[in-house]
Amino acid sequence: MPVDSKFPKIEDHGVLLNNRTAALVSKEGEVDFACFPNFDSEIVFSSILDREKGGYFSIRPVDSQLESRQYYEADTNILLTQFSDKRNKVLSIMDFLPMSFEHSVYFSEIHRRIETFTDVRVKIDFSPFTSGKRGIIEVADHKGFMFHSQSSSQFFSTDLDLDVEGDSVSGIVNLPATEVKWLVTAHNLRKAYPPELFASEDRLGQTRRYWKEWLLKSKYQGIFFDTVNRSLLTLKGLFFEPSGFMVAAPTTSLPESIGGERNWDYRFMWVRDTSYVIESLVQLGYVEEATKFYLSIIDRYEKDGKLFPIYKISEDSTLEEVTLDLSGYMNSRPVRVGNGASAQLQIDQYASLIIGLRFLLENAGFLSVHTLEKAFLIGDALLKIWKEPDSSIWEIRGDKKNYVYSKALAWRAFMDLGWLYSRMGEEEMASAVIKEAKNVKSEIYEKGVSGRGYFAQSYGSDE
């Protein structure tokens, strides 16, 4: 199990991102959540969900009295965890998931750079997968250690003198001042390779250039420059490059409240959430991400004949919801993979797409006439279903209701759909859709306002 059996605070983490997957790194230098090769793939490190069974990759000074802090290298998603005594820096760990300008080239690797500022004893612990799924450990002299699960492998590349202890690799190494050491973990390799073959310095330079050059496209020049840039980098990293779909979060089962049961798997694409993010990106000049998303989701709609509220990011996962035998963060059970909300009707998802599409087209976006024709199919579907009860943004697992939120978004979407029809020269359809928008608005004011005069959560409700 990890060096520290206590659960770290969720807020005491940094996140690594590379448009394929993500990893959480605690302030104590522990990678305690990561999936490979994709956001929704097998969970390789999961000690944030179970301190006894979960996998981990920990690097930290032996001296537990040192203070630690985390920060990102400016204008990148490269994370630094720094350990210091009361006067000076002692140890720094730089972590990143490699990026590539060639979108077809990706890396299922975490690169970790140890830099010392004084003589220091460092404790290293590595144990991927969950206990019970860890198989044999192959030792490759001067190269590292190969771990096997029931379905994959995880290689730990290092030339440090570490030992196999049960189903983990551990050791304490004495590092002199000004020492630099690279440790790399890579998913599903067939053979062991020495650290230098992973070319960490080259990958670091490439990753640094990628994030900095992408950020230069931003049009934002306000007083919250640093905050906006940090948000942009995080949002960009949550997009899955092959499809342009964005995960709602890179993790599963971190609780809404400690000890509660609302612990959901968010490693999927919610149409609503992505549409909102797309609008923000478009405002700041990132039209390419928005266009790619719309091309993908419209294509999926045409193939499926309906819009689902949730989509898989890759073929590695299933939306079928199952429970894992893990204790949960601070014993917040259950730990889930998959998400049962995928079967719900959420009318606002249809509306969000249409609203976002107009926003894209009004802000330098461009879609072919052929693609816009397909988009009208989504509008036609909304015209047919807007009166139905649904699960809406609340995703409550029970009886469907006439949620005011869904109705309000349908009203706005019909106004925007009328604009789209008019833009395409379909004035008769534009008039018909705008007339329907007025009908929705009238119904909301008739049925969606509580006796106290405010908009209710659903028709007939005082909430």
Side-chain angles (χ1 to χ4, degrees):
M1 64 186 294
V3 175
D4 189 351
S5 61
K6 295 180 180 179
F7 284 95
K9 293 181 179 179
I10 293 175
E11 61 265 32
D12 286 346
H13 284 81
V15 61
L16 314 179
L17 298 158
N18 72 345
N19 294 133
R20 290 278 182 165
T21 191
L24 297 186
V25 185
S26 76
K27 281 177 62 177
E28 299 307 311
E30 180 184 337
V31 178
D32 54 18
F33 189 88
C35 303
F36 288 111
N38 302 317
F39 289 107
D40 56 352
S41 300
E42 176 184 18
I43 305 174
V44 175
F45 299 110
S46 60
S47 58
I48 196 172
L49 298 176
D50 194 311
R51 299 304 285 173
E52 293 185 3
K53 297 180 181 178
Y56 51 88
F57 182 6
S58 173
I59 303 172
R60 59 159 299 143
V62 172
D63 185 356
S64 61
Q65 301 303 309
L66 297 178
E67 297 181 353
S68 64
R69 71 183 187 99
Q70 286 184 318
Y71 60 96
Y72 290 97
E73 185 179 286
D75 298 337
T76 75
N77 279 319
I78 299 167
L79 179 70
L80 291 103
T81 305
Q82 182 177 295
F83 295 88
S84 306
D85 58 23
K86 294 182 179 180
R87 294 176 297 176
N88 301 302
K89 290 190 295 185
V90 174
L91 177 73
S92 178
I93 304 167
M94 176 185 285
D95 292 311
F96 70 95
L97 293 169
M99 292 295 300
S100 171
F101 288 96
E102 298 295 331
H103 297 314
S104 58
V105 178
Y106 66 97
F107 302 85
S108 294
E109 304 168 356
I110 302 176
H111 292 240
R112 313 199 70 185
R113 181 182 186 268
I114 304 174
E115 181 179 6
T116 62
F117 302 95
T118 185
D119 295 351
V120 60
R121 301 177 72 217
V122 180
K123 182 80 164 69
I124 299 172
D125 298 277
F126 186 89
S127 185
F129 311 117
T130 56
S131 61
K133 291 187 177 181
R134 299 175 192 133
I136 61 172
I137 303 175
E138 299 176 12
V139 180
D141 290 343
H142 308 297
K143 295 180 181 179
F145 305 85
M146 183 72 78
F147 289 71
H148 295 272
S149 72
Q150 297 167 349
S151 58
S152 64
S153 66
Q154 193 70 24
F155 179 57
F156 177 27
S157 182
T158 178
D159 57 6
L160 295 175
D161 187 16
L162 305 176
D163 300 313
V164 175
E165 298 179 3
D167 59 358
S168 65
V169 167
S170 300
I172 294 175
V173 294
N174 296 308
L175 297 179
T178 71
E179 182 84 349
V180 172
K181 284 289 184 181
W182 281 101
L183 308 179
V184 178
T185 180
H187 187 66
N188 248 2
L189 294 182
R190 293 189 179 93
K191 296 181 180 179
Y193 301 97
E196 58 267 21
L197 198 66
F198 292 91
S200 293
E201 291 289 352
D202 292 339
R203 298 289 80 77
L204 174 61
Q206 188 177 41
T207 300
R208 184 179 283 135
R209 289 194 303 275
Y210 178 91
W211 291 119
K212 288 179 178 291
E213 290 184 18
W214 183 83
L215 203 55
L216 287 174
K217 300 176 184 178
S218 173
K219 298 191 298 185
Y220 183 80
Q221 297 296 327
I223 61 173
F224 301 106
F225 191 78
D226 291 339
T227 302
V228 170
N229 282 356
R230 175 53 46 203
S231 296
L232 276 172
L233 288 166
T234 302
L235 292 173
K236 170 62 174 174
L238 293 174
F239 278 84
F240 185 61
E241 181 59 41
S243 64
F245 285 179
M246 185 198 82
V247 290
T251 55
T252 180
S253 300
L254 294 181
E256 292 185 11
S257 59
I258 301 301
E261 296 181 355
R262 295 180 61 81
N263 318 319
W264 311 116
D265 188 353
Y266 288 112
R267 299 172 301 143
F268 305 107
M269 191 277 285
W270 268 254
V271 174
R272 173 199 311 111
D273 297 33
T274 307
S275 297
Y276 294 162
V277 170
I278 285 298
E279 289 189 32
S280 297
L281 291 177
V282 168
Q283 289 185 69
L284 296 175
Y286 294 98
V287 174
E288 181 180 347
E289 284 77 7
T291 304
K292 186 172 185 177
F293 165 68
Y294 270 98
L295 289 173
S296 293
I297 193 63
I298 290 172
D299 183 59
R300 285 295 301 270
Y301 180 84
E302 184 184 33
K303 290 178 180 178
D304 298 336
K306 64 179 295 187
L307 189 68
F308 296 95
I310 306 173
Y311 287 86
K312 295 190 300 182
I313 290 297
S314 72
E315 294 306 312
D316 285 355
S317 65
T318 176
L319 285 166
E320 180 182 358
E321 191 170 296
V322 297
T323 299
L324 302 182
D325 183 23
L326 297 174
S327 69
Y329 179 79
M330 294 185 70
N331 299 311
S332 302
R333 292 183 174 89
V335 173
R336 298 178 172 96
V337 293
N339 197 301
S342 59
Q344 294 179 347
L345 172 63
Q346 298 179 17
I347 292 171
D348 64 295
Q349 308 263 16
Y350 288 78
S352 297
L353 273 181
I354 296 168
I355 295 167
L357 181 57
R358 176 178 178 174
F359 194 87
L360 171 62
L361 296 175
E362 285 188 316
N363 289 273
F366 177 81
L367 294 175
S368 69
V369 173
H370 181 64
T371 302
L372 288 173
E373 276 192 339
K374 296 179 184 180
F376 284 128
L377 297 175
I378 299 173
D380 292 342
L382 182 59
L383 285 165
K384 295 176 181 177
I385 66 173
W386 75 265
K387 293 183 178 181
E388 297 180 19
D390 72 336
S391 299
S392 194
I393 192 173
W394 315 108
E395 296 186 359
I396 295 172
R397 300 189 177 190
D399 294 338
K400 298 176 183 177
K401 297 180 181 180
N402 286 294
Y403 285 103
V404 173
Y405 180 84
S406 289
K407 309 303 183 187
L409 259 68
W411 164 65
R412 167 63 192 276
F414 290 148
M415 295 297 293
D416 291 342
L417 187 61
W419 178 89
L420 286 168
Y421 272 120
S422 182
R423 188 176 188 267
M424 297 287 284
E426 299 279 352
E427 295 299 338
E428 186 175 341
M429 281 299 301
S431 296
V433 171
I434 290 175
K435 181 179 179 180
E436 190 71 350
K438 293 178 181 178
N439 292 335
V440 180
K441 181 179 179 181
S442 296
E443 182 176 296
I444 292 172
Y445 277 95
E446 179 186 350
K447 301 179 180 180
V449 178
S450 74
R452 298 180 181 179
Y454 54 77
F455 289 111
Q457 184 186 55
S458 60
Y459 290 177
S461 169
D462 283 330
E463 295 181 359

